[in-house]
């Protein structure tokens, strides 16, 4: 069953800027989809439209076979932003429990789930810490735990590791894959980095700007599970080159900038 | 230690200014003599003397007065803080209400409290409100304004992605207010409450005068002001007690803030 179905989705902002034009995309259960493209290609806008945080000007969106609004009301997806967006006044475990509180889970069920989530993101022992006592990478892991705490079918991630250093980013990439396999959820992942997109995804959706369009979809046939050796696989480089060329053809001005993600990643 | 050092410094500055002023006969900005600037030690000494031979020590009278004023100021602070928060939350809720009402809220603070106080006392007395409660209302009038402004600002202070996160959970307005906007506003609120805490004392002292309440610090100030040329140290001693009461209120708010607001060290205002 497809988890997300977008057909002819167009978003025009006030003043006539066309952020997205005629986006058609089908995402199947269990896929890991990366949306990659230069700034201004509308990839974050697309993610927010799937999450019903922004309304499209035209076109239709179904999430879990329902209209996007209903899916949001039914807590069908969890979201992770570029910054962790943790609530400073809540401890780590209370932050993870926030969506559970809103969904009316009992205290005991919450406690049990927090335990599982802390284990999943390997933050046992940090339950009672406050966000500002954690490193950026740890904060982002808490955000992932919060997004997955209520077992959503879909995980939306908006450049979640964009603000982290390369080392932390690679470690969290590997961790995210492990979590994705364990939770069997579907992921839509927005990124600037070619290496990150190729390493993580089952499919990379390359977007081009002005107006935002899907210029190519590249299936990533690297074997699972992936690890350090994946980044050294010749196939990894072939696919990365394919993505880079698709980005250049798309005419994004900052495509070479995005490509630096690969050289650093491969070094 | 630091506090004591600063106190010693201020003490020294006062006495030095006084000594120089008397020695060289300064008349500007005011004539310096034993009446305009009593010795600090004589102010403190006055606290432990009896202004009337049969009466209690001055410090006893003043502490009683301070307790009386503290009750008025405390109730006024509570009313002003609550009212200010509710009003601020209402105004934050709707831009239209804000445009319509905020100018009047601001105008209310430009009217001198001395002009408002007698009216409040008369109105409330006509509906059988006890005098000290109407003083509390006057204190509340000085208290609520900073809280309104801080609430308005604070309730909009939440990070827009934190709001988006709430939206992704399909949280209703009420939940967003209590789980996100209110906690995010707390540091702003407490900054306002610190200002309000001391303002509530000023409000109570001023409010005591038109309501002819003699039992509080306002009454004491009025009384000792009449005898200023004979016993200036008594008025100064009263001021010291009033200032101490203000500090107690301020410290109480800071203490409450430490308990309530769990925030990164650099965020603590």
């Amino acid at each position: 069953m497809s988890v997300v179905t977008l057909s002819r989705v167009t978003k025009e902002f006030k003043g006539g800027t066309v952020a997205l034009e005629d986006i058609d995309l089908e995402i199947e259960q269990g896929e890991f989809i990366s949306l990659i493209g230069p700034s201004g290609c509308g990839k974050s806008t697309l993610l927010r439209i799937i999450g019903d945080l922004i309304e499209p000007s035209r076109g239709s969106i179904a999430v879990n076979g329902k209209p996007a609004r209903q899916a949001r009301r039914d807590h069908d997806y969890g979201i992770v932003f570029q910054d962790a967006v943790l609530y400073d006044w809540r401890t780590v475990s209370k932050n993870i429990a926030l969506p559970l509180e809103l969904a009316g889970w009992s205290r005991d069920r919450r406690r049990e789930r927090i335990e599982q989530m802390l284990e999943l993101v390997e933050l046992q022992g940090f339950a009672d810490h406050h966000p500002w006592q954690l490193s950026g990478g740890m904060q982002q892991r808490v955000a992932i735990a919060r997004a997955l705490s209520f077992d959503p079918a879909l995980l939306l991630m908006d450049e979640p590791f964009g603000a982290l250093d390369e080392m932390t980013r690679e470690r969290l990439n590997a961790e995210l894959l492990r979590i994705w396999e364990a939770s069997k959820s579907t992921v839509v992942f927005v990124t600037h980095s070619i290496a990150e997109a190729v390493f993580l995804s089952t499919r990379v959706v390359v977007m081009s700007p002005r107006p935002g369009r899907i210029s190519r979809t590249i299936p990533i046939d690297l074997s699972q599970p992936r690890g350090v050796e994946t980044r050294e696989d010749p196939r990894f480089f072939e696919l990365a080159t394919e993505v880079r060329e698709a980005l250049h053809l798309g005419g994004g001005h900052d495509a070479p900038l995005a490509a630096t993600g690969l050289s650093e990643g491969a070094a | 230690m630091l506090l004591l050092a600063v106190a010693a410094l201020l003490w020294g500055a006062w006495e030095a200014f006084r000594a120089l002023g008397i020695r060289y006969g300064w008349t500007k900005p005011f004539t310096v003599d034993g009446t305009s600037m009593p010795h600090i030690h004589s102010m403190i000494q006055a606290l432990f003397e009896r202004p009337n031979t049969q009466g209690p020590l001055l410090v006893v009278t003043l502490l009683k007065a301070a307790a009386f004023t503290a009750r008025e100021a405390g109730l006024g602070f509570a009313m002003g803080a609550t009212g200010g928060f509710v009003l601020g939350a209402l105004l934050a809720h709707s831009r239209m209400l804000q445009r319509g009402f905020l100018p009047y809220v601001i105008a209310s603070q430009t009217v001198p409290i001395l002009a408002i106080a007698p009216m409040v006392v008369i109105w409330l007395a006509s509906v059988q409100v006890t005098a000290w409660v109407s003083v509390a209302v006057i204190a509340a009038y000085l208290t609520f304004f900073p809280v309104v402004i801080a609430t308005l600002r604070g309730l909009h202070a939440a990070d827009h992605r934190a709001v988006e996160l709430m939206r992704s959970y399909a949280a209703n307005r009420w939940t967003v207010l209590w789980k996100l906007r209110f906690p995010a506003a707390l540091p702003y609120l407490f900054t306002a409450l610190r200002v309000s805490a001391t303002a509530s004392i000023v409000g109570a002292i001023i409010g005591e005068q038109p309501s002819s309440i003699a039992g509080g610090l306002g009454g004491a100030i009025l009384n000792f002001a009449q005898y200023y040329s004979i016993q200036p140290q008594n008025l100064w001693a009263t001021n010291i007690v009033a200032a101490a009461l203000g500090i107690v209120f301020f410290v109480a708010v800071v203490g409450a803030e430490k308990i309530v607001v769990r925030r990164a060290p650099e965020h603590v205002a």
Side-chain angles (χ1 to χ4, degrees):
Chain A
M1 186 194 103
S2 55
V3 177
V4 178
T5 310
L6 300 167
S7 67
R8 303 191 60 96
V9 167
T10 297
K11 177 66 188 179
E12 238 171 86
F13 283 113
K14 274 180 211 151
T17 318
V18 182
L20 292 168
E21 194 172 70
D22 283 339
I23 302 289
D24 288 305
L25 184 63
E26 191 122 338
I27 300 173
E28 299 297 322
Q29 156 70 34
E31 274 196 285
F32 195 122
I33 300 284
S34 283
L35 305 176
I36 191 168
S39 317
C41 72
K43 51 194 190 299
S44 287
T45 306
L46 186 58
L47 191 83
R48 280 170 168 72
I49 286 179
I50 296 171
D52 187 45
L53 298 174
I54 299 179
E55 276 185 62
S57 311
R58 283 186 296 282
S60 72
I61 311 116
V63 174
N64 270 352
K66 297 175 263 195
R69 171 139 317 161
Q70 192 55 45
R72 176 169 65 87
R73 291 204 175 124
D74 293 348
H75 298 203
D76 281 353
Y77 74 85
I79 190 163
V80 178
F81 300 98
Q82 178 162 8
D83 304 313
V85 198
L86 302 175
Y87 292 3
D88 266 355
W89 51 91
R90 285 172 170 255
T91 58
V92 166
S93 55
K94 287 247 173 89
N95 265 292
I96 296 175
L98 177 69
L100 308 180
E101 277 173 33
L102 299 191
W105 287 37
S106 74
R107 188 176 292 266
D108 288 341
R109 272 184 79 204
R110 286 205 306 257
R111 189 173 307 139
E112 195 182 326
R113 179 51 63 91
I114 291 166
E115 210 62 37
Q116 292 167 2
M117 297 320 292
L118 285 172
E119 202 175 314
L120 183 70
V121 298
E122 291 174 342
L123 282 175
Q124 302 102 314
F126 291 94
D128 297 324
H129 282 59
H130 280 271
W132 32 273
Q133 295 168 309
L134 307 180
S135 69
M138 289 160 94
Q139 291 185 11
Q140 208 51 278
R141 271 143 75 192
V142 177
I144 293 170
R146 178 181 60 192
L148 289 174
S149 63
F150 51 97
D151 255 335
L154 179 64
L155 182 59
L156 303 177
M157 305 184 91
D158 189 10
E159 295 187 48
F161 309 134
L164 303 175
D165 62 84
E166 199 61 33
M167 300 267 289
T168 314
R169 177 191 279 223
E170 281 192 14
R171 213 169 24 116
L172 286 183
N173 279 172
E175 209 166 312
L176 177 60
L177 277 186
R178 182 178 59 74
I179 291 169
W180 168 64
E181 269 157 28
S183 65
K184 304 215 179 339
S185 53
T186 308
V187 180
V188 182
F189 188 95
V190 167
T191 181
H192 266 120
S193 157
I194 296 172
E196 191 172 56
V198 172
F199 178 73
L200 291 172
S201 312
T202 56
R203 213 157 31 122
V204 173
V205 174
V206 180
M207 297 181 69
S208 61
R210 286 173 287 276
R213 282 198 183 127
I214 294 178
S215 52
R216 257 195 86 187
T217 303
I218 301 171
I220 304 296
D221 51 10
L222 294 165
S223 61
Q224 303 278 3
R226 296 173 189 172
V228 188
E229 61 295 341
T230 309
R231 292 182 194 270
E232 289 153 10
D233 188 332
R235 183 68 190 139
F236 178 81
F237 289 102
E238 284 171 31
L239 288 163
T241 307
E242 214 177 320
V243 172
R244 188 182 312 107
E245 281 169 0
L247 278 166
H248 281 285
L249 284 176
H253 296 298
D254 18 1
L257 193 77
T260 56
L262 174 66
S263 50
E264 280 169 30
Chain B
M1 270 323 285
L2 187 66
L3 277 179
L4 286 180
V6 173
L9 201 71
L10 290 174
W11 189 316
W14 174 275
E15 294 294 339
F17 186 91
R18 183 180 188 279
L20 288 171
I22 291 174
R23 168 119 189 240
Y24 297 109
W26 289 352
T27 53
K28 276 173 187 168
F30 53 87
T31 308
V32 179
D33 56 29
T35 313
S36 62
M37 289 183 78
H39 283 295
I40 303 254
H41 60 81
S42 65
M43 300 174 198
I44 292 165
Q45 201 181 347
L47 282 172
F48 302 97
E49 283 168 1
R50 298 167 202 278
N52 308 308
T53 35
Q54 320 81 318
L57 293 180
L58 181 60
V59 67
V60 174
T61 317
L62 287 182
L63 283 180
K64 274 187 191 156
F68 190 90
T69 301
R71 184 171 62 151
E72 298 159 346
L75 179 66
F77 176 74
M79 292 193 298
T82 315
F85 176 73
V86 171
L87 186 57
L90 280 175
L91 296 188
H93 186 77
S94 142
R95 206 154 283 267
M96 204 174 76
L97 282 177
Q98 199 174 321
R99 275 213 303 271
F101 282 89
L102 196 56
Y104 294 101
V105 174
I106 294 165
S108 77
Q109 297 301 299
T110 65
V111 179
I113 185 78
L114 279 172
I116 302 270
M119 294 190 271
V120 172
V121 172
I122 293 165
W123 289 336
L124 291 183
S126 69
V127 288
Q128 263 75 47
V129 172
T130 328
W132 78 268
V133 177
S134 47
V135 175
V137 170
I138 293 162
Y141 185 84
L142 274 194
T143 308
F144 87 102
F145 182 67
V147 181
V148 173
I149 300 298
T151 306
L152 262 178
R153 177 99 170 71
L155 289 180
H156 286 302
D159 181 72
H160 75 276
R161 259 151 328 162
V163 179
E164 222 176 16
L165 185 72
M166 277 294 186
R167 205 174 132 69
S168 83
Y169 301 141
N172 62 38
R173 255 188 132 130
W174 197 245
T175 312
V176 177
L177 180 66
W178 285 117
K179 300 254 179 199
L180 172 61
R181 292 194 186 279
F182 180 61
L186 278 176
Y188 293 85
L189 271 180
F190 270 102
T191 305
L193 290 179
R194 291 182 194 195
V195 177
S196 294
T198 45
S200 71
I201 307 237
V202 175
I205 288 175
I206 292 173
E208 281 172 7
Q209 314 207 343
S211 36
S212 38
I213 283 180
L217 286 174
I221 288 171
L222 218 54
N223 179 25
F224 292 130
Q226 285 167 5
Y227 298 98
Y228 188 79
S229 52
I230 319 163
Q231 292 175 304
Q233 67 276 18
N234 284 355
L235 185 62
W236 284 100
T238 312
N239 291 347
I240 290 173
V241 172
L245 182 60
I247 291 169
V248 168
F249 266 54
F250 185 85
V251 169
V253 171
V254 173
E257 181 176 4
K258 286 233 167 81
I259 295 167
V260 171
V261 181
R262 298 256 165 238
R263 208 52 52 95
E266 68 268 29
H267 287 192
V268 175

